[in-house]
Amino acid sequence: MPIPTRDDHARTGHPPVDPRPRARSRRTRTALAAAGALALLTVSACGAAETGGGDARTVSLHTPSWVGAEVNTAVAAYLLEHELGYEVKTQQMDETPAWDAMSQGKIDAILEDWGHPQEEKRYVQGNKSVVSAGELGVTGHIGWFVPKYLVDEKPDITDHKNLNKYADVFRTPESGDKGQFIKGDPSYVSHDNALIKNLGLNYKPIEAGAEATHLAQLEQLYKNKKPFLTYWWTPQWMNATMDLAEVKLPPYEDGCDADKKAVACAYPDVPLKKWMNADFAKEGGDAAAFLKSFNWTTEQQNLVAKYVAADKMTAEKAAEKWVKENESVWKEWLPKK
């Protein structure tokens, strides 16, 4: 994750995120495969369709590109199908287009948002086509991180004021005479170019590519105990496999990231939110009520994300496993009869 709309021309971190950030689990070499499997998830309704202007027993959910948010959708879809008798269709797309689609009724809900102030102004406060569906229960955070084994050698490296002293440690053929800063997925909320410039750091931001590529790169560097400075976020299931330390940036203050070109502060913590198409929120019946109640912890999300990313389960099978083992949790999300 990671704030979070996750790119230099948006996000809102989460981590960034996301914070989330974005904030924002995401994401191993299996992430693309998991996303593909989840994008094909279309479950059949158990009951007869109730048709109006469309099928009232069909729910369309956004599927983001990172594993943590994908498993939100997978668990929600599994319960909508098996407990409430809905058909669920998912659409994978970047965050800003997902807001546009939700405002138009092409998707009913986004279950993990790392903060999109421009879209909120346009669709929530403006034409009122989107409404809040409450918080997800997960807090996203985006930041700069280095491996703990590097901190053990150079304890003061976790203060941004000392980064120039260690720029040569992070030099690569790509970064030339500057230290390399590894950026995240270009679609994620990020202020890193501005931060590097405004803090006067002798570093060159290098795009890692899609999240799966970013994670694979860090996994390899970490395995070989190489130094790296990277954009990173929580929740993120790989935090269980890599011991990273956050670099202290100037503290976040409200509004310090308003001018994206002048940002010189840390990313904020972002309570990740859910959003719904306004018409669906009013007319979506049990499905809308359930999605508003859907709320779980970072640890619960990371566990299901691990099933997908590390244990190689499909998103649907991971959701099924978690649902069968945590009835006392999800029962509270179901509409009371």
Side-chain angles (χ1 to χ4, degrees), residues 207-229:
E207 296 279 359
E211 184 181 294
T213 305
H214 183 197
L215 298 193
Q217 180 181 359
L218 296 191
E219 185 178 46
Q220 190 64 30
L221 289 169
Y222 192 87
K223 178 181 179 180
N224 293 318
K225 295 203 175 298
K226 299 290 187 182
F228 60 84
L229 171 64

Side-chain angles (χ1 to χ4, degrees), residues 96 100 117-129:
T96 299
D100 297 337
Q118 292 180 345
E119 284 66 37
E120 288 183 41
K121 184 176 181 180
R122 181 180 305 135
Y123 299 129
V124 180
Q125 300 157 17
N127 66 17
K128 304 188 186 305
S129 59

Side-chain angles (χ1 to χ4, degrees), residues 18-62:
D18 138 268
R20 348 183 273 121
R22 280 113 103 189
R24 272 164 359 157
S25 313
R26 321 154 45 13
R27 321 146 169 169
T28 89
R29 284 170 283 190
T30 66
L32 296 179
L38 187 55
L40 294 175
L41 177 61
T42 303
V43 296
S44 299
C46 298
E50 301 168 10
T51 58
D55 187 348
R57 301 300 296 179
T58 299
V59 179
S60 180
L61 299 178
H62 172 232

Side-chain angles (χ1 to χ4, degrees), residues 315-335:
E316 186 176 10
K317 287 295 183 183
E320 180 181 9
K321 174 178 172 61
W322 186 86
V323 166
K324 289 182 176 179
E325 295 174 355
N326 292 274
E327 182 174 349
S328 63
V329 177
W330 59 259
K331 278 287 188 182
E332 296 299 315
W333 305 339
L334 299 181

Side-chain angles (χ1 to χ4, degrees), residues 4-334:
T5 18
R6 305 182 185 211
D7 53 4
D8 282 320
H9 55 278
R11 194 89 316 116
T12 101
H14 263 73
V17 307
D18 138 268
R20 348 183 273 121
R22 280 113 103 189
R24 272 164 359 157
S25 313
R26 321 154 45 13
R27 321 146 169 169
T28 89
R29 284 170 283 190
T30 66
L32 296 179
L38 187 55
L40 294 175
L41 177 61
T42 303
V43 296
S44 299
C46 298
E50 301 168 10
T51 58
D55 187 348
R57 301 300 296 179
T58 299
V59 179
S60 180
L61 299 178
H62 172 232
T63 304
S65 61
W66 60 97
V67 175
E70 289 170 7
V71 300
N72 297 330
T73 304
V75 169
Y78 187 90
L79 290 168
L80 282 166
E81 175 197 13
H82 293 277
E83 295 298 321
L84 298 175
Y86 285 85
E87 178 182 0
V88 178
K89 296 181 180 179
T90 65
Q91 297 186 53
Q92 185 171 26
M93 62 184 79
D94 288 342
E95 294 160 282
T96 299
W99 269 85
D100 297 337
M102 181 169 54
S103 74
Q104 299 164 24
K106 295 179 180 178
I107 61 174
D108 296 317
I110 291 174
L111 299 184
E112 181 173 313
D113 179 68
W114 286 66
H116 287 75
Q118 292 180 345
E119 284 66 37
E120 288 183 41
K121 184 176 181 180
R122 181 180 305 135
Y123 299 129
V124 180
Q125 300 157 17
N127 66 17
K128 304 188 186 305
S129 59
V130 173
V131 297
S132 172
E135 293 187 359
L136 176 65
V138 176
T139 296
H141 175 69
I142 291 172
W144 291 5
F145 287 77
V146 294
K148 180 62 165 53
Y149 52 74
L150 186 60
V151 178
D152 292 339
E153 297 176 7
K154 309 175 192 303
D156 63 343
I157 204 169
T158 56
D159 188 328
H160 79 277
K161 295 177 182 178
N162 297 322
L163 285 177
N164 280 346
K165 181 170 69 172
Y166 295 112
D168 60 328
V169 172
F170 299 103
R171 286 177 185 165
T172 68
E174 285 184 280
S175 66
D177 62 352
K178 297 184 176 183
Q180 175 175 277
F181 178 88
I182 303 174
K183 296 187 66 176
D185 188 309
S187 71
Y188 295 167
V189 178
S190 165
H191 310 318
D192 300 323
N193 287 10
L195 281 167
I196 289 170
K197 178 182 178 181
N198 297 330
L199 295 177
L201 300 177
N202 187 33
Y203 283 77
K204 182 177 181 179
I206 303 294
E207 296 279 359
E211 184 181 294
T213 305
H214 183 197
L215 298 193
Q217 180 181 359
L218 296 191
E219 185 178 46
Q220 190 64 30
L221 289 169
Y222 192 87
K223 178 181 179 180
N224 293 318
K225 295 203 175 298
K226 299 290 187 182
F228 60 84
L229 171 64
T230 187
Y231 170 102
W232 196 244
W233 61 91
T234 59
Q236 162 55 259
W237 76 269
M238 276 183 65
N239 286 323
T241 66
M242 296 193 304
D243 191 1
L244 304 181
E246 186 168 7
V247 173
K248 183 180 179 181
L249 296 171
Y252 177 84
E253 297 179 1
D254 190 35
C256 71
D257 56 353
D259 183 345
K260 302 308 178 188
K261 293 182 179 180
V263 177
C265 60
Y267 293 89
D269 289 336
V270 180
L272 304 184
K273 297 180 180 179
K274 302 171 294 177
W275 299 95
M276 283 185 185
N277 171 271
D279 290 338
F280 174 76
K282 290 186 292 185
E283 303 167 6
D286 284 351
F290 162 75
L291 292 173
K292 290 175 185 176
S293 296
F294 182 91
N295 180 284
W296 62 351
T297 67
T298 298
E299 292 72 24
Q300 289 164 341
Q301 186 195 82
N302 278 343
L303 177 60
V304 186
K306 174 186 174 294
Y307 294 156
V308 175
D311 300 342
K312 316 303 182 188
M313 298 176 68
T314 66
E316 186 176 10
K317 287 295 183 183
E320 180 181 9
K321 174 178 172 61
W322 186 86
V323 166
K324 289 182 176 179
E325 295 174 355
N326 292 274
E327 182 174 349
S328 63
V329 177
W330 59 259
K331 278 287 188 182
E332 296 299 315
W333 305 339
L334 299 181

